[in-house]
Amino acid sequence: MLSNVARGLLIAGLVAGGAATVVTPAQAAAKTFANCTELNKVYKHGVAKTGARDKVSGAAKRVTNFKVSDALYAANKKSDRDRDGVACEKR
């Protein structure tokens, strides 16, 4: 059963002549942040897609305590400067 938000997005897409796309509640609720400062206020160590690993160089330790959420990561992918699957990683 679709939530009211997902149902509304599906109907809006059909009315606009788009393909039928089902949007999960997690995707509908994923917030896009303006920058890493704003994202880190809510998710202190950043957000990552499933299976991501922080890329580091030298003796630095990897960040491992970030929020894992494919929907949140997709909404904030622009903030993943090193393209390692973790946006706004911070120790």
Side-chain angles (χ1 to χ4, degrees):
M1 177 173 246
L2 295 174
S3 70
N4 288 337
V5 172
R7 187 177 304 115
L9 292 173
L10 176 61
I11 291 169
L14 292 173
V15 169
T21 303
V22 176
V23 177
T24 66
Q27 291 169 323
K31 179 171 172 52
T32 301
F33 293 90
N35 54 45
C36 284
T37 302
E38 295 301 314
L39 187 142
N40 290 139
K41 286 179 183 177
V42 179
Y43 302 101
K44 186 175 179 181
H45 302 287
V47 296
K49 61 184 177 181
T50 304
R53 290 185 53 173
D54 182 25
K55 185 189 330 180
V56 296
S57 61
K61 290 188 176 185
R62 295 181 192 280
V63 175
T64 58
N65 50 350
F66 41 74
K67 167 76 174 169
V68 177
S69 168
D70 290 333
L72 269 171
Y73 176 79
N76 296 284
K77 186 176 180 177
K78 68 180 181 353
S79 296
D80 184 6
R81 289 179 282 177
D82 58 1
R83 305 283 186 243
D84 61 356
V86 185
C88 302
E89 56 264 46
K90 186 174 159 185
R91 284 178 222 323

